[in-house]
Amino acid sequence: MIPSAFDYVAPSTVDDAVRALNDAGEDAKIIAGGQSLLPVLRMRLAAPSKLIDLGKVAELRGVREDGDALVIGAMTTHYDVQRDPLVREHAQLLAVATDTVADPQVRHRGTFGGSLAHADPAGDLLAPALALDVEMVLCGMDGKRTVPAADFFVDYFTTALRPSELLVEVRMPKYTGWHAHYEKFNRVAQAWSIVGVAAAVNVAGHTISAARVALTNMSSVPVRASGVEQALVGQEATPDAIRAAAERAVEGTMPVADNNADVAYREHLAKVLTSRAVTAACG
Amino acid sequence: MTATVEPEVGRARLRKEDARLITGRTRWTDNISLPGMLHVAVLRSPMAHARISNIDVSAAKEASGVLAVVTGADLADEQGSLPCAWPITEDMKAPPAPALAVDTVNFAGEAVAVVVARSAAEAHDALEAIDIDYEDLPVVLDMNEAIADGADLVHPDLGSNASATWIFDSAEAGSGGDVEQAIAASDVVVERTFRQQRLIPAFMEPRSVVVDPTGEQITMWSATQIPHILRWMTSAVTGVPETKIRVIAPDVGGGFGGKLQITPEEIVTFLLARRLGRPVKWTESRSESMVSAHHGRDQIQKLTLAATQDGTIKGLKVELLADMGAYLRLVTPGVPILGAFMYNAIYKMDAYKFVCTNVFTNKTPTDAYRGAGRPEATYAIERMMDELAAELSMDPMELRRKNWIKHEEFPFNTVAGLTYDSGNYEAATAKAMEDFGYDALRAEQAERRERGDAVQLGIGISTYTEMCGLAPSRVLGALSYGAGGWEHAAIRMLPTGKVEVITGTSPHGQGHETVWSQIVADKLGVPFDDVEVLHGDTQSSHKGMDSYGSRSLAVGGTALVLAADKVIDKARTIAAHMMECSVDDIEFSGGSMKVRGTDTSTDIQSIALQAHVAHDLPDGVEPSLDSEATFDPENFSFPHGTHLCATEVDTETGQVRIRSYVCVDDVGKVVNPMIVEGQVHGGLVQGIAQALFEGAVHDESGTLTTGTLADYLVPSAADMPSFTTGHTETLATSNPLGVKGVGEAGTIASTPAVVNAIVDAVRHRGVNDVEMPCTPMRVWQAIQGGSQAAAGPGGTESGGGLGSLDASQGGAR
């Protein structure tokens, strides 16, 4: 289908982009890789007056180290995240979760920041971001501010971003030496997760010394499985211990029913997939 | 140029049409752009059933670029009623079917108004300015409720939601006994009710139509399977003489039956072009296609299968409810009837009865979809054979073997009144069983059960046959179908020795140009590349019944062979004159006419030139080799085969993985093995998709919640196993090529093989059915022995992603 008419600008700096966003008012919409926005526009489910394309803002791309932090520019494509050696070394969970996103064409266009800002609870990168305690760096007319992932995701397709703010980069502690797995469950290869589980563990000897677990599509926002994490820490990575911990996966979730899964089945899947994700992460 | 050394028939030729199709150097309908062309956008009802109390188009008429805004009331005098060519009974109830709804809408997605503008974008913009007031009417969705006493009515004027009831009874037909007696006399009676979910054909190229009224004839390009029927029916609906209508189906990107239709948009675009005197184009979006192009399947099947304790089948009773949707489209009522002759399948039995009631609901109309009635029949009987085997504790293949028609029993008159001309079920099965490793998989299945493995293995069988090569005209007449089933072909011998072949079939992806060239190359002894195949334009291909029902090769290919024989006969006469011998002394082979017992010969190209210049022809011989033939088959053709599927079912999640899939099909003579392989693969995927993935779901308001390809799960290659395919070749006796047809076989066969395998994997957990599509949730719930919510969606929301936003077209939120 054909979108409604809109104006279009493509600034080349963050400052210009923020100014364009501020000037355009609330009807404006940022376009990053366009993998979520374009279908919405084409189906006329949204009709923004102006699109501000971040494709030419070079400073928003790339992965770097900043002391103890790993920093990923919001416009870094999934493909670049996937193959980045720093991400593989310090944020394996994000790398393996990104491997499961859509297909190669989408991964070459879609961006990490765009996916987080879109905040689709079925998107695969929200749970890893939450599990890894990332911080979102937002930039508005008054400068930058930092919001932890736990506060960033507010509701379905809703974040802490203010109307004239951009997500510019994502900062996270380094999880060097951690092991991770993202367990994605869907019916066909190219589909959103029915449920997904992001798990990263630090194993010392045979004992789990630290664990990060978060769930995709079990609520209107990604859900941190804190109960599972608590139950895992200090345990030996045995099947029984992991299965017992995974029983707590549904704490704090509010899943919905749809054609693919009713609430009971989603809750069941959350437990099974958590067990599988942690088991795979523990290797 | 003389003989082609290697016969063309049987060669895995690359397809001559693919270079242009793959590179996009072609004209799809939407690529056609004419001077002064206008664009149509269609406003669709968001309501499943409502009265239109007011339409305000004033703002839309003022919108940028808009030339006209037209409602159903504006067209009421000229739009007529969309045709239904298959009144299955004399008392069939059929509502008027306006192209644009006039005062009532009967399904979400029905066309209500159109905008004509200078650009497609302006036309779509203006749709948003049309204001319609709807008054809710009760929505009828469930077939069982629809036929209950006091039900709300889709069409109150008809007095009932039951359109027609069609019955076949072997006792009345004289092809068998009384089914109730057979059931009463049997040791074992198995009853099951299956749900054939509603499917969406989901052809790759969306529908599109361009109409140019500026010439002496009104020319209509359409992404259709049926240009000839479209021309006829457009004339019938609009009253414009057929001579004043030219229809062209250019390259068409798939149909699967979904483009076997006379669409509302074709008629509306035609009328608008005529009214405005300018070329007009309409092309649908995928969202429009999902809600408004006809759907397929959607039946509730109640089966009763009776047998003796030793597994001998005695009788089969089939009671169907078939969902028509809101209107009867071109062949809507006949689709379940095409299945009526196939429920008995390859098995011998004493008695058979089939009763089908066609039911109206407030949903998108159904109509032909790959297999059309036969997949439903095959699914039902093949599922029942597994259920009966389980009941009798017999191996399911052993049960089939005990009951199928033996190869020496052909031709065989079935209990459904057909005559199967040929087949060898034993041979296909033996090959499939060997390729599959049946015994080893059974051993692994037992081992996994014993071990209580979380992943259980299941084996599913489908020993199918189908009837295709549609169709003997007399049979169609007996079934009250409105047209014949013959096909036409013509051959033009050009002075340069090149050959033009004209076919009345209408390819839309199958590869006719390649296959027709192969046949003609062999028949006339001309090079493959010298043959050009013309099709899909009623001006060049003036006579035809188009492509559907796996008919093109068996019927159209036969017409081609007959036309080639006429060319040869004419050439023989001229050759005898050229070489001064008797016609009886001419031997023809490899393109060469040779005087028997001499070295004197001439080739068919030289004869074509002689015929063309006509300087020296025998007296009374017309100066042409050109010939045509129309072939009306005397029987259907009956492909068959054995499909074996092994699935791994994850009992913790319900996820199904196809571990291996082996099929051995007998489609008769194979002209091009590569094309046949492609048809089998595509067919398998479409059948497996019904088993595992696809299903059109409506919420309680009648909104299609699977209105995008994010929610209606058409699988990709990534979701499919590698297929092991094979063939046996038992020639059809009903045509000179010995071909049967392969377009639908894979789809017909594969669905029950997959579901049988799933049920087999978890039968020990008390499961005897899982409703399609066998989603992980349904499989898991079935294993839990739960409420068989396995029989319904978990909610009315679509499954995340785009679909959670709903489709803008026809979305009744």
Side-chain angles (χ1 to χ4, degrees):
Chain A
M1 251 186 76
I2 303 166
S4 298
F6 52 82
D7 289 333
Y8 172 88
V9 290
S12 53
T13 67
V14 168
D15 286 349
D16 285 351
V18 169
R19 200 169 301 115
L21 190 57
N22 188 62
D23 291 350
E26 291 199 14
D27 280 351
K29 194 84 185 152
I30 295 281
I31 181 164
Q35 298 307 292
S36 300
L37 182 60
L38 277 179
V40 168
L41 295 182
R42 287 169 62 83
M43 294 170 75
R44 296 197 175 211
L45 296 169
S49 58
K50 185 176 228 174
L51 287 192
I52 297 158
D53 186 349
L54 300 183
K56 292 183 177 167
V57 185
E59 62 192 287
L60 289 176
R61 290 183 189 271
V63 180
R64 62 189 165 88
E65 290 176 285
D66 184 5
D68 290 341
L70 181 71
V71 183
I72 302 177
M75 285 294 291
T76 309
T77 63
H78 302 311
Y79 175 74
D80 286 340
V81 168
Q82 268 181 291
R83 63 175 193 157
D84 190 280
L86 292 173
V87 175
R88 289 270 163 201
E89 184 180 359
H90 302 302
Q92 190 201 6
L93 176 59
L94 181 59
V96 298
T98 305
D99 288 343
T100 74
V101 171
D103 57 45
Q105 286 162 294
V106 171
R107 292 198 292 269
H108 275 81
R109 288 291 308 170
T111 65
F112 182 40
S115 179
L116 298 178
H118 183 55
D120 181 342
D124 290 307
L125 301 180
L126 281 61
L130 186 65
L132 297 177
D133 282 326
V134 308
E135 291 182 328
M136 315 293 177
V137 179
L138 316 181
C139 185
M141 292 295 282
D142 303 329
K144 291 182 179 174
R145 66 182 178 114
T146 299
V147 178
D151 297 332
F152 182 74
F153 301 110
V154 175
D155 203 344
Y156 292 103
F157 304 99
T158 307
T159 68
L161 276 162
R162 292 170 187 150
S164 61
E165 276 183 331
L166 287 184
L167 171 61
V168 292
E169 63 188 27
V170 178
R171 302 174 68 88
M172 67 192 79
K174 291 179 180 171
Y175 294 86
T176 320
W178 287 53
H179 299 289
H181 184 76
Y182 184 68
E183 185 75 16
K184 177 170 179 166
F185 191 83
N186 51 21
R187 288 176 53 202
V188 294
Q190 299 194 29
W192 279 262
S193 290
I194 295 171
V195 176
V197 179
V201 292
N202 200 356
V203 181
H206 294 293
T207 304
I208 298 171
S209 61
R212 300 279 190 276
V213 181
L215 310 176
T216 298
N217 212 19
M218 284 297 290
S219 187
S220 60
V221 291
V223 178
R224 185 76 173 262
S226 306
V228 176
E229 294 176 359
Q230 288 163 18
L232 286 172
V233 171
Q235 298 288 324
E236 289 209 9
T238 63
D240 285 347
I242 292 170
R243 206 173 298 121
E247 284 298 308
R248 298 183 60 181
V250 295
E251 292 174 9
T253 63
M254 285 183 63
V256 296
D258 60 30
N259 285 341
N260 293 322
D262 63 14
V263 170
Y265 180 60
R266 267 212 165 77
E267 291 181 341
H268 170 76
L269 278 181
K271 295 176 191 173
V272 172
L273 301 178
T274 295
S275 177
R276 291 180 181 184
V278 173
T279 300
C282 289
Chain B
M1 187 67 211
T2 54
T4 43
V5 179
E6 184 187 346
E8 283 290 341
V9 170
R11 277 182 76 173
R13 274 267 185 200
L14 293 180
R15 307 195 328 166
K16 54 165 62 176
E17 47 273 79
D18 277 350
R20 72 170 194 275
L21 295 176
I22 290 169
T23 60
R25 293 178 66 85
T26 181
R27 288 268 175 97
W28 310 109
T29 302
D30 189 49
N31 294 136
I32 290 166
S33 190
L34 301 172
M37 189 172 76
L38 303 172
H39 297 263
V40 177
V42 179
L43 185 67
R44 299 187 181 281
S45 171
M47 317 288 285
H49 200 196
R51 188 168 292 113
I52 301 169
S53 52
N54 187 50
I55 302 186
D56 181 356
V57 299
S58 52
K61 279 185 170 169
E62 299 303 315
S64 165
V66 171
L67 277 85
V69 182
V70 176
T71 66
D74 298 331
L75 281 187
D77 291 342
E78 53 183 314
Q79 69 178 347
S81 184
L82 294 167
C84 173
W86 204 335
I88 56 168
T89 63
E90 285 182 8
D91 61 352
M92 183 180 83
K93 292 182 170 67
L100 284 185
V102 178
D103 49 21
T104 308
V105 290
N106 289 301
F107 69 94
E110 184 169 1
V112 176
V114 295
V115 172
V116 187
R118 284 183 312 217
S119 70
E122 287 169 313
H124 282 280
D125 286 345
L127 288 185
E128 294 175 3
I130 298 175
D131 191 18
I132 303 187
D133 296 331
Y134 292 103
E135 289 172 26
D136 279 340
L137 292 169
V139 175
V140 179
L141 299 172
D142 180 89
M143 281 194 279
N144 281 311
E145 290 174 14
I147 58 167
D149 288 342
D152 293 323
L153 297 178
V154 178
H155 301 286
D157 290 352
L158 300 181
S160 167
N161 291 319
S163 174
T165 296
W166 193 93
I167 298 169
F168 177 87
D169 184 338
S170 64
E172 284 177 21
S175 55
D178 180 82
V179 81
E180 299 298 345
Q181 285 178 11
I183 291 169
S186 292
D187 304 326
V188 181
V189 177
V190 178
E191 287 185 12
R192 292 283 185 279
T193 299
F194 299 129
R195 177 78 211 219
Q196 287 283 328
Q197 80 270 34
R198 179 174 275 252
L199 299 178
I200 299 177
F203 32 76
M204 191 178 288
E205 180 206 15
R207 297 172 304 161
S208 180
V209 57
V210 174
V211 178
D212 180 4
T214 61
E216 182 55 34
Q217 292 183 315
I218 301 178
T219 300
M220 175 191 276
W221 289 261
S222 184
T224 181
Q225 296 174 227
I226 52 165
H228 298 92
I229 298 173
L230 177 57
R231 182 194 193 203
W232 178 10
M233 290 297 123
T234 300
S235 173
V237 171
T238 65
V240 174
E242 203 176 344
T243 47
K244 295 296 184 188
I245 301 171
R246 174 185 183 185
V247 174
I248 301 172
D251 279 324
V252 175
F256 311 118
K259 291 174 181 166
L260 168 50
Q261 194 55 270
I262 309 300
T263 69
E265 296 82 4
E266 284 166 336
I267 298 301
V268 169
T269 305
F270 185 92
L271 295 175
L272 291 171
R274 187 175 67 163
R275 180 182 282 203
L276 297 168
R278 289 172 65 175
V280 174
K281 178 195 283 184
W282 170 78
T283 299
E284 70 183 348
S285 67
R286 179 63 62 183
S287 302
E288 279 186 279
S289 193
M290 299 295 279
V291 294
S292 66
H294 73 244
H295 294 174
R297 315 279 192 264
D298 208 346
Q299 298 180 357
I300 297 170
Q301 309 172 294
K302 186 178 174 207
L303 286 299
T304 308
L305 183 62
T308 58
Q309 196 61 46
D310 72 354
T312 304
I313 299 173
K314 305 307 285 183
L316 172 65
K317 185 165 69 171
V318 178
E319 296 160 276
L320 295 188
L321 295 178
D323 193 340
M324 303 288 98
Y327 296 103
L328 303 180
R329 295 293 196 226
L330 190 62
V331 297
T332 302
V335 169
I337 311 311
L338 276 173
F341 306 96
M342 282 289 117
Y343 279 85
N344 52 303
I346 66 171
Y347 310 113
K348 295 178 279 191
M349 59 186 74
D350 298 339
Y352 169 58
K353 186 171 184 185
F354 170 97
V355 181
C356 176
T357 298
N358 287 349
V359 182
F360 290 115
T361 62
N362 290 114
K363 295 182 194 168
T364 304
T366 58
D367 207 314
Y369 173 53
R370 203 170 189 174
R374 292 153 288 157
E376 296 93 315
T378 302
Y379 180 83
I381 185 63
E382 289 303 299
R383 282 284 298 113
M384 290 302 284
M385 291 302 283
D386 263 33
E387 293 304 303
L388 177 61
E391 184 74 25
L392 294 169
S393 299
M394 275 180 82
D395 178 272
M397 189 60 90
E398 192 49 44
L399 177 68
R400 285 167 169 85
R401 220 174 248 135
K402 192 175 185 65
N403 288 284
W404 72 39
I405 301 158
K406 307 284 188 293
H407 71 275
E408 66 270 18
E409 293 177 293
F410 290 93
F412 185 87
N413 296 323
T414 76
V415 74
L418 294 177
T419 301
Y420 293 175
D421 61 333
S422 69
N424 190 332
Y425 310 139
E426 300 95 317
T429 299
K431 184 166 166 50
M433 294 285 267
E434 187 184 334
D435 292 350
F436 189 62
Y438 186 84
D439 294 336
L441 284 165
R442 282 280 180 222
E444 180 184 334
Q445 176 183 43
E447 187 273 328
R448 283 186 192 238
R449 270 189 200 181
E450 179 72 21
R451 184 155 51 90
D453 193 353
V455 178
Q456 289 290 313
L457 186 68
I459 296 169
I461 298 172
S462 172
T463 49
Y464 78 101
T465 188
E466 62 129 336
M467 54 186 269
C468 65
L470 305 182
S473 297
R474 277 179 297 190
V475 175
L476 293 179
L479 292 171
S480 310
Y481 182 60
W486 48 262
E487 195 44 84
H488 174 262
I491 295 174
R492 297 177 186 154
M493 300 299 295
L494 304 181
T496 54
K498 308 291 187 192
V499 182
E500 281 179 342
V501 169
I502 294 135
T503 178
T505 62
S506 196
H508 39 285
Q510 294 91 339
H512 291 36
E513 291 172 30
T514 301
V515 170
W516 270 229
S517 297
Q518 289 181 273
I519 292 169
V520 169
D522 272 4
K523 281 297 292 184
L524 299 182
V526 298
F528 171 82
D529 289 326
D530 284 359
V531 184
E532 194 73 23
V533 180
L534 309 178
H535 57 79
D537 180 343
T538 59
Q539 210 158 69
S540 57
S541 161
H542 61 283
K543 188 175 167 70
M545 291 303 300
D546 308 318
S547 286
Y548 43 83
S550 304
R551 69 186 304 274
S552 292
L553 185 58
V555 188
T558 300
L560 182 62
V561 167
L562 299 179
D565 285 339
K566 292 184 183 177
V567 170
I568 294 165
D569 281 347
K570 291 184 184 182
R572 200 185 292 273
T573 302
I574 296 171
H577 181 73
M578 287 165 66
M579 296 186 286
E580 298 179 338
C581 68
S582 158
V583 168
D584 295 337
D585 288 337
I586 298 280
E587 291 174 336
F588 180 64
S589 126
S592 176
M593 296 271 175
K594 189 172 174 222
V595 182
R596 199 186 313 272
T598 74
D599 292 337
T600 306
S601 69
T602 185
D603 57 40
I604 196 152
Q605 290 89 347
S606 303
I607 303 168
L609 181 61
Q610 282 302 315
H612 191 83
V613 299
H615 294 165
D616 181 18
L617 296 180
D619 291 343
V621 169
E622 65 175 334
S624 174
L625 298 184
D626 297 356
S627 300
E628 61 181 314
T630 305
F631 174 66
D632 197 346
E634 290 184 356
N635 195 1
F636 298 92
S637 51
F638 302 96
H640 70 81
T642 297
H643 287 223
L644 300 170
C645 177
T647 58
E648 293 179 355
V649 175
D650 182 338
T651 59
E652 290 181 348
T653 64
Q655 187 81 281
V656 173
R657 179 176 137 339
I658 296 181
R659 155 99 160 257
S660 68
Y661 196 102
V662 169
C663 60
V664 174
D665 294 294
D666 194 322
V667 299
K669 181 72 181 171
V670 171
V671 177
N672 185 317
M674 186 200 71
I675 288 177
V676 166
E677 182 83 355
Q679 284 282 7
V680 170
H681 277 232
L684 292 177
V685 174
Q686 242 161 344
I688 291 169
Q690 177 174 12
L692 294 179
F693 304 121
E694 297 182 21
V697 179
H698 293 80
D699 67 14
E700 70 282 353
S701 69
T703 299
L704 181 69
T705 64
T706 53
T708 76
L709 293 179
D711 302 290
Y712 186 82
L713 300 182
V714 177
S716 70
D719 304 304
M720 287 292 144
S722 182
F723 302 122
T724 303
T725 62
H727 292 281
T728 55
E729 197 169 282
T730 311
L731 300 185
T733 63
S734 51
N735 64 71
L737 289 165
V739 300
K740 298 178 183 174
V742 68
E744 297 160 297
T747 305
I748 290 168
S750 57
T751 312
V754 176
V755 179
N756 276 339
I758 294 167
V759 174
D760 185 57
V762 292
R763 193 181 288 280
H764 66 294
R765 303 279 293 261
V767 176
N768 67 19
D769 193 30
V770 180
E771 189 182 315
M772 296 187 294
C774 300
T775 64
M777 176 172 69
R778 285 177 174 167
V779 174
W780 180 75
Q781 286 172 336
I783 295 168
Q784 302 311 304
S787 57
Q788 286 276 328
T796 55
E797 297 299 313
S798 53
L802 269 183
S804 57
L805 303 169
D806 196 20
S808 62
Q809 299 286 343
R813 292 293 161 83

